[in-house]
Structures are given as structure tokens and as C-alpha cells.
Amino acid sequence: MVGDAAHPVGVGHGASMCIEDALELAVALSSAPTVPAALKAYDETRRPRIDKLLKHGHNARESKRPGAVKRQINAANMRVLLPFFERAQGYLYDYEPPSLPAVGASPSATSRLS
């Protein structure tokens, strides 16, 4: 596993971490005598950077976590503002898919275009 599948850092680095992992893994596989040795070398090479990014992601999430007062204010704001958002942006969620014809039925029987 590489990228977010192996270490979801959560700071917008999923694709770049995947590329870095693939390059480091290719180097490890091409220079180690066995696959287990290559995987060990890969882990030893990547671990410091991964740990640093995991810590950064954790700190970024924690710094955005609201305190008790802010959570109460946010809840009050949502009760007041949510109905306006629903009216203004409801079109984002109001898609109704077309009906499919029953097995063996004529395709034009349920077509929205006819």
C-alpha cells in the first residue's frame, strides 16, 4: 500500500505521498537483495517523513477543533441559518433519477423523453 491507503496524513498530500512512496519503493526493490529486505529499507526510509506529516495533520485538525462555547455558538447558528441554505442550495441535492423500465417492458413505457 502507498499514499493515503498506507498512511492517511490528511493534509492534502495523498497523491504526492503516493508518488513519493512509489519512487522510494522502486529504489528499495531495485537495490535490496530480497523483497523483505527491500520492504524493511523502504519503511526505514519513509518512516521519518510519514511520522512528521502525520503529526502535522494531527496538529492541524486539533487546532481547528472548537471549544465548548464555540460548539454552542455553531449549533445555534445552524438552527438559524440551515433553512436559508436549504432553500438557496437545495438544487444541489434534488436530482431525481429516471425510472428504468421493468424487465420485459417496452423501453418507451417509462421513458422521460416521450
Side-chain angles (χ1 to χ4, degrees), residues 71-101:
R71 285 194 304 271
Q72 294 296 319
I73 292 169
N74 288 347
N77 282 340
M78 289 304 290
R79 286 190 294 275
V80 172
L81 298 175
L82 192 57
F84 296 107
F85 285 118
E86 287 177 2
R87 282 195 296 271
Q89 296 182 343
Y91 69 92
L92 295 170
Y93 312 104
D94 67 358
Y95 174 73
E96 291 289 333
S99 298
L100 293 173

Side-chain angles (χ1 to χ4, degrees), residues 5-6 32 35 40 46 49 52 59 65 76 79 85 92 96:
V35 171
K40 186 175 188 296
R46 294 299 290 153
R49 178 157 168 77
K52 186 175 182 179
N59 291 342
R65 188 180 305 243
R79 286 190 294 275
F85 285 118
L92 295 170
E96 291 289 333

Side-chain angles (χ1 to χ4, degrees), residues 13-54:
H13 283 11
S16 62
M17 295 300 288
C18 185
I19 293 167
E20 290 177 20
D21 288 347
L23 291 170
E24 292 290 345
L25 185 56
V27 167
L29 288 168
S30 67
S31 60
T34 65
V35 171
L39 295 175
K40 186 175 188 296
Y42 163 77
D43 182 63
E44 289 171 357
T45 301
R46 294 299 290 153
R47 182 71 45 201
R49 178 157 168 77
I50 300 305
D51 288 346
K52 186 175 182 179
L53 287 172
L54 286 170

